[in-house]
Amino acid sequence: MNNENIIIAFALSTIAGLSTGFGSFIALISKKNNTAFLSLSLGFSAGVMLFISFVDIFPKANTILAESF
């Protein structure tokens, strides 16, 4: 395995971990009864997951299924 690939994978994992920590920090400092912020955050995260599903995962799955049948 190439050292450059290992460095890129480590950097991406570190960025993902820091993003998770930053998000949890925001959740800790926000007001406890702020339901508008919670609903906005959940809607945004659902939109991101749907985008990833339809743009990235679905075409690859479609190709694999087409090849197998």
Side-chain angles (χ1 to χ4, degrees), residues 7 24-25 32 35 37 39 43-44 46 48 52 54 60 64 68-69:
I7 292 172
S24 64
F25 178 72
K32 299 292 182 197
T35 56
F37 178 72
S39 62
F44 178 73
V48 168
I52 294 297
F54 286 115
K60 289 178 185 177
I64 292 170
S68 67
F69 291 113

Side-chain angles (χ1 to χ4, degrees), residues 26-53:
I26 290 174
L28 285 174
I29 64 171
S30 67
K31 293 188 296 184
K32 299 292 182 197
N33 57 358
N34 193 355
T35 56
F37 178 72
L38 179 62
S39 62
L40 179 73
S41 300
L42 288 173
F44 178 73
S45 63
V48 168
M49 292 304 293
L50 286 171
F51 177 77
I52 294 297
S53 296

